[in-house]
Amino acid sequence: MHYKRRRLLLAGASLAASGTGLVRMPAFAQAGPLLRKMIPSSREEIPVIGLGTARRYENAAGAQREALERFGALGASVIDTAPVYGQAEAVVGELLEQLKLRPQLFLATKVSISGREAGVQQIEQSFKQLRTGKVDLIAVHNLRDTQVHLGTLRELKNQGRIRYAGITTSFDRQYGQFEETMRRQALDFIQVDYALDNRGADERILPLAADRGMGVMINLPFGRGRLFDAVRGKPLPPWASEFDCRSWPQFFLKYIVSHPAVTCAVPGMARPEYVEDNLGAARGRLPDPAMRRRMERFIDGI
Ligand SMILES: NC(=O)c1ccc[n+]([C@@H]2O[C@H](COP(=O)([O-])OP(=O)(O)OC[C@H]3O[C@@H](n4cnc5c(N)ncnc54)[C@H](OP(=O)(O)O)[C@@H]3O)[C@@H](O)[C@H]2O)c1
């Protein structure tokens, strides 16, 4: 079946709620295309699981090539990077060129420096490192010189060099300023930390993003691995199968991407087996609100 048609069928199927209150997916979904969500400002759909490149892509010394190859083969597309993640932009740029993956990808990077001119130079360097003429999303990293860089990002959008602009944080202490920026600025995307054991963004930031029509990319979905430590040695609860969850990583990621305001999550993954496992969270049923409460009670009780 034509790829786009399959996607449309799946998107339609994913909206049909079942009698149990769980979102039902067709039986072929396990082997089929990835679940996608819409970016509010454009109505473009992107897969709900992407890939983060902090720390593990700082240099190409491991299995990053195989991880990206698998990522592409499974039909995924969102990659999040930043100019301050060591050599990550250059590593990703080189591997994507070798693997000829750029056309299917949604590339997101950041501007992570103070000052207008310095920001412009850093962005130009990102285009070079990523070996592309068009970056899908650039976000102001951790609110660093936000007003100044949002002006630059708007110009780049007008020139057609980027498609979306946004802001990021992963610090509770920045949430107030983050919300303020969301209220004042027209942003395509926000990126914020959110995880089953770190749900602060759910209080005001995620509802505000929904109100303001902003796409939401979630960073630190495993709390940099903290969640794996919490469940080490513990079996998955049997009710995880009710939302087609086969592993702890899928448990944590399905919780995130089932939030109605969340567009996608970008777990850090530099190993092909992680990619395979994590992208399983973009298949099958997702937990409904009652199941999400059960997952919260479960983790809070550990
Ligand atoms: N303010 C910002 O803009 C900001 C801040 C933070 C992060 N981010 C973005 O968010 C992304 C994600 O954050 P993160 O990578 O620091 O933390 P994370 O996604 O919460 O955790 C990543 C770690 O989880 C482990 N992991 C991943 N998949 C696994 C699997 N299937 N099975 C077992 N372990 C698995 C890996 O540990 P090992 O590699 O050690 O095995 C990996 O390094 C970053 O890469 C970055 O793109 C943005």
Side-chain angles (χ1 to χ4, degrees), residues 33-94:
L34 303 170
L35 179 62
R36 303 167 87 94
K37 285 202 191 182
M38 214 167 61
I39 299 168
S41 67
S42 66
R43 304 184 69 79
E44 175 187 4
E45 287 182 356
I46 53 173
V48 295
I49 301 296
L51 178 151
T53 60
R55 301 178 297 121
R56 300 290 182 260
Y57 285 76
E58 293 202 338
N59 51 63
Q64 294 94 343
R65 189 179 202 279
E66 293 95 296
L68 287 178
E69 195 167 20
R70 197 74 202 118
F71 187 75
L74 289 170
S77 75
V78 179
I79 294 186
D80 180 65
T81 189
V84 291
Y85 295 166
Q87 291 302 305
E89 284 188 330
V91 168
V92 167
E94 183 177 351

Side-chain angles (χ1 to χ4, degrees), residues 103 136 251:
D136 297 283
F251 190 89

